[in-house]
Amino acid sequence: MAASKHLTDYFQVITGQHRDPYAVLGMHARVQAGVKIVSVRVFRPDANEVNLVRLDTQEIWPMDLIHESGFFELIVPHASEVFEYELEIVTQALGRTRIRDPYSFLPVITDFDRHLFLEGTNYRCYEKFGARIMRVQGVEGTCFSVWAPHARRVSVVGDFNDWDGSVHSMRVLGSSGIWEIFIPGVGKDALYKYEIKTHDNYLVHKADPFGLYMQLPPETASRVWDLSGFEWSDDEWIKNRSQKSDLNRPMNVYEVHLGSWARDENNEILNYRELAHRLVAYAKEMGYTHLELLPVCEHPFYGSWGYQVIGYFAPSSRYGNPQDFMYFVNHCHENNISVILDWVPAHFPKDIHGLMRFDGTALYEHLDPRQGEHRDWGTLIFNYGRNEVVNFLISNLVYWCDLYHIDGFRIDAVASMLYLDYSRKEGEWIPNQFGGRENLEAIEFIRKANDVIHEMFPGVLTIAEESTSWPMVCKPTHLGGLGFDLKWNMGWMHDMLSFMSMDPIARKYHVNKVTFGLFYAFSENFMLVLSHDEVVHGKSSLLNKMPGDLWQKFANLRLFYGYMMAHPGKKLLFMGGEIGQQIEWNHDRELDWHLLDYPLHKGLNLYLKDLYKLYQDSSCLWEIDFEHHGFEWIDFSDAERTVVSFVRKTKNPWESLIFVFNFTPVPRRNYRVGMPWNGRYAEVMNSDSSYYSGSNLGNSGEIYSEDVWCQNQPYSAVLTLPPLGMLVLRPLDVPKTITVEGSSKPLRVYTMPEGIPMPEPKKAEAKVKIKGIAKKKKSLKSPVE
């Protein structure tokens, strides 16, 4: 009976069906015929000869080939206890080599690790899974661990075993579905995959879901890597981040695709370190506070822009190794720039070496395509009801914060996660347990992910790309919200793009598109975005969405950017928008930086620099972004002339700014605008300045209000509004107490703290050309330099 059992075990090892090869292979002490013996078994199909070497005595015994497939066995002479040993293996490819037997080591993953993973709470499981270089029992090597519960057999194949799946079969740890093996001598830079024999005996080679680094696409192997050794210098940054919130600070985000922002003279992609210096210097010069990177997780198809991820734990090798990306993040922090990653938990691609049918079954995805497939995108949907999948995704967020010091995540395609019927016709989706369309498992995952990140890494932001009216996206989970910090304002973006693309003569019929966003502006913590999605697939560049001749296009775009920066909410602009890119974004080439040699493009770029400087220096534009008392309309009723005006306010009135927008190409002279205070106002910015290649029509840098009621304001001023222009006014003469008495005007009282000086406008000289006559006047360009 025992012999029969041994033969069965041998056969299962030889045929690759044994789920615990450690029970057969390696050294074992057992009792045979009443005598305690020690036996060693080795399965090496590539070996011509195998010898056993006892390390303490250096005795060598040849092992017997007991099966022609490469199964060797030895009953060690005169041994009754196990001992340390090596194998001397002779192969045709490598000749004679000595190795430590992989089947002589105990498991590395503990029962507690398995328990936490299976219940979905092992948030640092990247420390246990994947390929980890370590020392076990005094021996250097790499431990490989992978979850594949329905596999018949899992092996590690790589350039260290000639990609032979019979050499390093893994053991499954109990009923967990976790497979593990420690392979001595395998170190940094080794290439590997998992060879998985499915339940129907089909062999597949899979990249490591927890792999830290991958081959340069189109190659698909994972690469053993050591993440230690990089010296971070951002301790103070991390400390400050945990003590402050970005929600009441300036947040001006530059959205970037690393592969096409800039390239070398041969159109080759720059690496992380090159990008660190060039991109960070540029972002700092422009006045961006955050960089948002299109997904850097490894993706096989470059044209997916990173949104079809294979290696969730691997920064793309297109730009360098993991330490290079650490350098990039660290350099950003050294220059006071936050790094936000685009993160894609909504779906993954069908590449055969990826997560799809990982162990031959629908492991990471749903089996039913009505739940598990995005037909529009040709991708698969994560099964958020499976604890192990949730653990995989949340630990990925923790990993990027823990080991790469990432400051935030923009979560892609949240709407597709929330709704079971997203982009599906009737009959193409399955209702939830209550008959509704809400994806209850995805909602629970989102809440859990937000809670974990905010608890473990205070100050790290989560931002939802959510395009529907789902309520309470930015409310805490304990109040029933989803727990995000910010939400992309897709409604504002679509309304404003629609409005700005109209011929100005028709805009007076659609002023509601400009004003409607304020009806819901404070229902969530909104970020105003002009993202990559708006400049691809035939939608044209932002500049070419604008109507009119070339001058009017630039004037419209400056006006649009001005309205965006003045409107409540954090800001995001995709790369190229700041230089007036003429063509759509093309991921296969760099931006058209040569455009800055042309005055209109250079003027736009200078305008945004000044606009961003004004934004950062003006607390009224970011301190109270998400409450109604930080904003007050002056007038939005003049649809006929398409002029709107409002005040951005903060706790102290002298820090307020007044914005006036003329959305037509017609100059408006002697246009009366209501003012909240009497006295002088500095014209601190004019989008029509000649400095920005505008027509230079304005108000000579300073205006005076009058005691004339207008637009529900106690005072007013007569202005010259430039065509397709924005004016920004700052009050200069706000008294300590303003009281309006003895009239029908409402009482307004503002108290200002003692000892705080009034801001004075900066003045400069510039030539102003009006109707062909050059005159000397106070500059119309922005003083914020």
Side-chain angles (χ1 to χ4, degrees):
M1 190 72 173
S4 175
K5 172 67 167 62
H6 289 321
L7 289 175
T8 300
D9 285 339
Y10 297 171
F11 176 77
Q12 288 183 336
V13 169
I14 292 168
T15 57
Q17 299 181 59
H18 207 295
R19 291 174 66 83
D20 186 11
Y22 282 74
V24 180
L25 303 176
M27 181 177 283
H28 298 271
R30 71 179 191 271
V31 177
Q32 180 174 298
V35 178
K36 194 172 184 181
I37 65 170
V38 173
S39 64
V40 180
R41 302 184 192 97
V42 175
F43 182 58
R44 285 295 297 253
D46 60 335
N48 300 322
E49 175 188 333
V50 178
N51 300 311
L52 181 73
V53 181
R54 181 164 182 158
L55 291 181
D56 56 355
T57 65
Q58 291 300 305
E59 293 178 87
I60 301 178
W61 296 278
M63 298 186 70
D64 298 322
L65 179 66
I66 65 172
H67 193 277
E68 61 185 7
S69 63
F71 200 103
F72 296 82
E73 185 176 39
L74 172 70
I75 297 178
V76 183
H78 314 297
S80 59
E81 301 292 339
V82 297
F83 52 84
E84 289 190 346
Y85 66 96
E86 287 182 344
L87 300 174
E88 185 179 76
I89 298 179
V90 181
T91 65
Q92 186 172 352
L94 300 176
R96 188 176 300 272
T97 58
R98 278 195 182 189
I99 65 168
R100 291 295 296 265
D101 188 356
Y103 299 98
S104 65
F105 296 92
L106 296 172
V108 174
I109 291 183
T110 67
D111 290 345
F112 188 57
D113 294 328
R114 289 151 51 187
H115 168 76
L116 292 178
F117 177 71
L118 295 175
E119 76 171 9
T121 58
N122 191 346
Y123 301 133
R124 296 185 187 270
C125 60
Y126 52 86
E127 295 177 348
K128 299 293 184 177
F129 285 81
R132 288 157 292 119
I133 298 172
M134 61 176 59
R135 179 184 291 269
V136 177
Q137 296 169 215
V139 178
E140 295 285 348
T142 298
C143 183
F144 298 88
S145 306
V146 66
W147 178 57
H150 305 292
R152 282 182 177 268
R153 189 251 302 165
V154 182
S155 299
V156 179
V157 296
D159 56 5
F160 44 85
N161 62 15
D162 203 26
W163 303 92
D164 186 346
S166 63
V167 176
H168 291 121
S169 292
M170 307 173 77
R171 64 173 153 217
V172 67
L173 302 178
S175 60
S176 66
I178 300 170
W179 299 75
E180 182 194 82
I181 188 172
F182 175 75
I183 306 179
V186 173
K188 183 177 177 180
D189 224 26
L191 299 176
Y192 72 98
K193 284 187 177 180
Y194 295 113
E195 182 180 272
I196 298 176
K197 179 176 281 191
T198 66
H199 64 286
D200 54 359
N201 290 321
Y202 181 69
L203 283 180
V204 293
H205 284 187
K206 295 288 189 178
D208 190 346
F210 285 89
L212 304 177
Y213 189 27
M214 292 187 70
Q215 272 186 299
L216 184 67
E219 302 301 325
T220 58
S222 300
R223 193 182 294 272
V224 176
W225 202 255
D226 183 1
L227 293 182
S228 65
F230 182 78
E231 295 185 8
W232 291 91
S233 59
D234 63 350
D235 290 350
E236 193 66 26
W237 171 274
I238 300 297
K239 178 182 176 182
N240 291 336
R241 185 186 68 188
S242 67
Q243 296 173 351
K244 298 178 183 178
S245 169
D246 278 341
L247 300 185
N248 56 8
R249 291 192 293 173
M251 189 170 181
N252 185 24
V253 183
Y254 190 42
E255 188 187 28
V256 177
H257 178 255
L258 292 179
S260 56
W261 179 75
R263 295 193 172 192
D264 67 16
E265 59 275 8
N266 298 316
N267 198 37
E268 295 293 330
I269 290 173
L270 302 179
N271 63 43
Y272 291 120
R273 292 177 185 259
E274 292 169 329
L275 284 163
H277 292 278
R278 292 178 59 175
L279 177 54
V280 170
Y282 177 77
K284 194 173 180 180
E285 177 191 1
M286 286 296 299
Y288 293 108
T289 61
H290 296 63
L291 291 177
E292 181 178 310
L293 308 181
L294 269 63
V296 299
C297 298
E298 194 59 85
H299 48 285
F301 178 42
Y302 179 68
S304 75
W305 313 330
Y307 290 98
Q308 295 189 9
V309 178
I310 289 293
Y312 275 83
F313 291 81
S316 179
S317 57
R318 291 177 177 89
Y319 313 110
N321 65 40
Q323 278 81 2
D324 292 334
F325 186 57
M326 292 177 184
Y327 181 91
F328 177 91
V329 176
N330 192 64
H331 189 68
C332 288
H333 291 171
E334 287 178 335
N335 287 273
N336 295 316
I337 292 177
S338 299
V339 180
I340 299 170
L341 291 189
D342 249 348
W343 190 61
V344 191
H347 61 118
F348 58 90
K350 295 181 179 179
D351 297 70
I352 193 63
H353 65 286
L355 298 177
M356 184 187 78
R357 302 295 191 271
F358 188 79
D359 63 356
T361 67
L363 188 63
Y364 286 88
E365 70 272 35
H366 285 279
L367 178 62
D368 192 323
R370 293 175 296 173
Q371 294 175 292
E373 186 173 354
H374 273 303
R375 298 286 173 85
D376 290 352
W377 303 333
T379 55
L380 301 174
I381 301 170
F382 282 105
N383 182 350
Y384 307 107
R386 183 165 279 165
N387 286 341
E388 299 89 343
V389 174
V390 169
N391 204 152
F392 170 80
L393 290 170
I394 294 180
S395 69
N396 185 239
L397 287 174
V398 174
Y399 166 84
W400 289 108
C401 295
D402 181 21
L403 298 183
Y404 288 90
H405 298 198
I406 296 301
D407 303 296
F409 301 92
R410 176 262 196 185
I411 315 300
D412 181 61
V414 171
S416 74
M417 301 167 66
L418 294 175
Y419 298 97
L420 294 166
D421 63 345
Y422 181 86
S423 194
R424 297 178 188 273
K425 299 176 184 177
E426 187 174 349
E428 294 180 349
W429 60 283
I430 300 175
N432 63 34
Q433 65 194 66
F434 303 109
R437 59 197 284 253
E438 299 80 12
N439 189 335
L440 303 180
E441 295 166 343
I443 294 166
E444 183 60 27
F445 158 69
I446 289 170
R447 288 171 170 164
K448 188 174 183 180
N450 280 322
D451 282 346
V452 169
I453 288 302
H454 291 141
E455 180 179 348
M456 293 181 68
F457 301 96
V460 169
L461 296 173
T462 58
I463 305 165
E465 187 221 4
E466 204 287 306
S467 54
T468 74
S469 57
W470 187 280
M472 302 176 70
V473 171
C474 299
K475 293 295 187 291
T477 57
H478 68 272
L479 297 179
L482 295 182
F484 287 101
D485 296 290
L486 291 159
K487 172 182 173 175
W488 275 22
N489 196 334
M490 313 291 275
W492 176 91
M493 177 188 68
H494 289 304
D495 283 347
M496 286 303 300
L497 285 173
S498 171
F499 179 80
M500 294 303 300
S501 64
M502 293 177 186
D503 189 309
I505 199 170
R507 287 177 178 169
K508 63 182 179 181
Y509 304 110
H510 300 279
V511 175
N512 63 305
K513 288 183 178 291
V514 176
T515 60
F516 179 66
L518 269 300
F519 282 96
Y520 60 85
F522 310 111
S523 61
E524 299 281 5
N525 298 340
F526 281 118
M527 176 180 283
L528 309 184
V529 296
L530 294 172
S531 73
H532 65 279
D533 282 325
E534 306 314 310
V535 292
V536 290
H537 303 321
K539 296 179 184 177
S540 357
S541 65
L542 290 177
L543 180 66
N544 283 324
K545 293 178 193 290
M546 302 296 108
D549 59 25
L550 189 60
W551 186 92
Q552 289 184 343
K553 286 179 181 293
F554 276 93
N556 270 301
L557 194 55
R558 292 194 302 270
L559 175 62
F560 187 13
Y561 289 156
Y563 188 77
M564 175 182 179
M565 297 305 292
H567 193 286
K570 305 308 179 185
K571 325 296 178 187
L572 177 143
L573 180 65
F574 182 57
M575 64 182 199
E578 80 281 9
I579 64 172
Q581 185 84 4
Q582 293 270 9
I583 61 174
E584 286 189 352
W585 169 48
N586 183 347
H587 59 261
D588 286 323
R589 51 176 287 187
E590 72 172 6
L591 298 178
D592 291 330
W593 295 106
H594 66 275
L595 293 175
L596 291 176
D597 294 333
Y598 298 90
L600 284 169
H601 293 273
K602 182 65 174 176
L604 177 67
N605 190 252
L606 292 173
Y607 169 71
L608 277 178
K609 284 183 187 178
D610 284 352
L611 188 60
Y612 293 161
K613 182 67 165 58
L614 177 70
Y615 171 74
Q616 290 202 39
D617 290 347
S618 305
S619 60
C620 63
L621 297 181
W622 40 261
E623 191 175 55
I624 314 176
D625 256 333
F626 309 121
E627 300 176 54
H628 66 88
H629 55 268
F631 176 91
E632 180 183 346
W633 282 112
I634 291 177
D635 184 54
F636 58 84
S637 62
D638 192 357
E640 183 63 32
R641 288 178 287 189
T642 324
V643 175
V644 299
S645 53
F646 54 76
V647 185
R648 287 302 306 276
K649 301 187 294 185
T650 185
K651 298 173 183 177
N652 300 310
W654 72 96
E655 294 178 349
S656 300
L657 290 176
I658 296 170
F659 292 86
V660 186
F661 302 89
N662 178 11
F663 287 102
T664 70
V666 180
R668 306 292 181 186
R669 292 182 170 83
N670 299 316
Y671 189 93
R672 187 172 291 277
V673 175
M675 297 288 166
W677 305 288
N678 199 15
R680 296 177 302 145
Y681 289 81
E683 185 180 82
V684 295
M685 196 160 194
N686 182 336
S687 68
D688 193 47
S689 167
S690 60
Y691 189 59
Y692 312 131
S693 296
S695 65
N696 222 32
L697 187 63
N699 300 275
S700 301
E702 190 171 287
I703 64 166
Y704 294 84
S705 64
E706 302 171 347
D707 193 6
V708 177
W709 174 268
C710 182
Q711 297 169 340
N712 202 38
Q713 300 294 325
Y715 307 99
S716 59
V718 176
L719 305 177
T720 297
L721 306 186
L724 298 172
M726 172 193 73
L727 298 180
V728 185
L729 308 176
R730 174 181 286 131
L732 298 179
D733 295 327
V734 180
K736 292 185 177 180
T737 305
I738 303 173
T739 309
V740 181
E741 298 178 314
S743 72
S744 60
K745 299 175 184 177
L747 179 68
R748 291 179 176 232
V749 178
Y750 296 93
T751 302
M752 297 168 59
E754 295 287 344
I756 299 181
M758 294 295 298
E760 291 294 335
K762 298 177 183 178
K763 298 181 180 180
E765 292 272 324
K767 286 188 177 180
V768 182
K769 194 170 184 179
I770 302 175
K771 295 183 180 180
I773 302 173
K775 299 181 179 180
K776 278 276 190 176
K777 284 194 175 182
K778 293 176 184 175
S779 173
L780 294 181
K781 76 176 183 179
S782 167
V784 285
E785 297 174 349

